[in-house]
Amino acid sequence: MLTTTSDEQLMLQYREGDFIAFEELYRRHRVGLYRFIAWRSPRADWVDEIVQDSWANLHQARERYQPDASFRTYLYQIARNRLLDLLRQQQPLLAADMGTGTDGFDAFDALADAAQDVVTPETAFDQKQRHDSLHQALAQLPGEQKEALVLQQMNRLSLEEIAAIVSAPVETVKSRLRYAMRKLREGSLCEQG
């Protein structure tokens, strides 16, 4: 049964031509990958392209896959590299080019809202206010801190997995998370006062 098979085993099966194994990998990781890119991309219009390119690159690289790290780490590294490629290709972005919402938050909110149960108008308003506050606070964080925090909190990755994705030592990832949390706490204390 595929639901009890590890991601790494599924990828090895896919490497051997089992497309049902790929479908299971896609089912397990499509939302998490989308979230990771939506929170990290400076342009909302890049998100779908990066996610699609990531799955295509995974397909092209499947014959070379070795389960040296977790599958999720492998997939997120592919996506992160694609994002970095796009960033290198672009000139500095003007705010007008960034569309609605920075870092693809509107796309993320649409995806997250679609997955939620029906809520009352009051609950929806409260959720929107919390989302807006969180987005504003995250937008103030340096990119490396925001990336580490999103990977840990939104995607439930371990410190070791984050370190592998961002190509940094685990201690560096811990520092980024510590500084990010400190800045978020300081920001929320300032708003309450």
Side-chain angles (χ1 to χ4, degrees):
M1 178 169 247
L2 291 178
T3 56
T4 60
T5 306
S6 73
D7 291 341
E8 295 74 25
Q9 186 60 41
L10 287 171
M11 187 60 192
L12 290 171
Q13 291 172 356
Y14 176 50
R15 182 178 75 179
E16 300 302 318
D18 183 349
F19 288 95
I20 294 174
F22 172 78
E23 289 175 4
E24 178 64 15
L25 286 169
Y26 181 79
R27 185 193 65 75
R28 289 180 186 181
H29 296 285
R30 65 186 170 84
V31 173
L33 180 66
Y34 189 92
R35 261 188 213 151
F36 169 60
I37 294 301
W39 278 85
R40 188 69 181 114
S41 176
R43 292 183 54 157
D45 59 327
W46 287 359
V47 176
D48 288 332
E49 176 185 347
I50 293 168
V51 170
Q52 184 176 10
D53 287 352
S54 299
W55 288 110
N57 289 343
L58 177 75
H59 173 74
Q60 292 169 349
R62 74 186 182 281
E63 292 177 5
R64 297 185 306 275
Y65 174 76
Q66 294 297 320
D68 300 328
S70 77
F71 171 77
R72 185 166 53 173
T73 300
Y74 182 73
L75 177 63
Y76 283 29
Q77 184 65 54
I78 290 171
R80 185 176 188 268
N81 288 343
R82 181 64 184 120
L83 174 60
L84 292 174
D85 288 344
L86 280 175
L87 290 170
R88 285 184 198 110
Q89 293 170 7
Q90 298 298 312
Q91 296 294 329
L93 300 174
L94 299 173
D97 291 336
M98 296 180 77
T100 59
T102 58
D103 289 342
F105 291 142
D106 291 338
F108 175 77
D109 283 344
L111 178 69
D113 291 344
Q116 291 180 353
D117 295 330
V118 177
V119 295
T120 65
E122 294 82 14
T123 305
F125 180 73
D126 288 342
Q127 288 175 347
K128 175 82 171 106
Q129 284 186 318
R130 282 194 305 271
H131 280 133
D132 290 348
S133 295
L134 176 61
H135 294 167
Q136 289 172 359
L138 286 173
Q140 301 303 313
L141 293 175
E144 292 174 337
Q145 291 174 16
K146 178 171 46 174
E147 179 177 50
L149 191 64
V150 167
L151 285 169
Q152 183 193 47
Q153 297 297 316
M154 306 297 180
N155 296 96
R156 309 265 189 254
L157 293 179
S158 69
L159 294 173
E160 292 77 15
E161 290 173 315
I162 297 168
I165 290 169
V166 302
S167 301
V170 172
E171 290 303 316
T172 301
V173 171
K174 285 181 184 178
S175 293
R176 290 175 184 171
L177 289 168
R178 187 172 43 253
Y179 288 125
M181 293 305 293
R182 183 181 304 150
K183 288 179 183 176
L184 289 176
R185 272 190 235 107
E186 289 170 358
S188 66
L189 293 175
C190 292
E191 291 174 9
Q192 291 174 0

